[in-house]
């Protein structure tokens, strides 16, 4: 038996609303990361922070 689910009533309703109003929905991240150590590594090694951040996300 099929059952219709309203996204607003589901446990992920809040995330769904944020996703709908996001500027770039495909790359929206809902988690906050502390990148202090990443910035220190970037300055020491001469690499860009964005490149290191992309590497960390892709590594997981």
């Amino acid at each position: 038996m099929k059952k219709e689910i309203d996204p607003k009533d589901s446990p992920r309703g809040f995330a769904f609303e944020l996703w709908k109003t996001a500027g770039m929905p495909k790359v929206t991240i809902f988690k906050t990361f502390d990148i202090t150590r990443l910035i220190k590594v970037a300055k020491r090694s001469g690499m860009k922070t964005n490149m290191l951040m992309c590497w960390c996300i892709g590594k997981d």
Side-chain angles (χ1 to χ4, degrees):
M1 181 173 222
K2 292 184 179 183
K3 183 178 176 183
E4 188 173 327
I5 299 173
D6 185 15
K8 294 175 187 169
D9 297 334
S10 71
R12 296 189 57 205
F14 181 68
F16 180 71
E17 287 298 319
L18 287 174
W19 177 80
K20 280 189 355 186
T21 59
M24 295 177 66
K26 291 185 180 180
V27 293
T28 303
I29 298 175
F30 295 107
K31 186 172 181 179
T32 304
F33 295 100
D34 181 18
I35 61 167
T36 308
R37 289 176 52 198
L38 191 67
I39 292 172
K40 287 180 185 177
V41 169
K43 285 182 181 177
R44 265 189 278 147
S45 63
M47 296 181 196
K48 295 195 177 220
T49 309
N50 192 33
M51 180 187 69
L52 290 173
M53 204 167 6
C54 289
W55 180 81
C56 290
I57 292 169
K59 185 178 176 198
D60 285 341

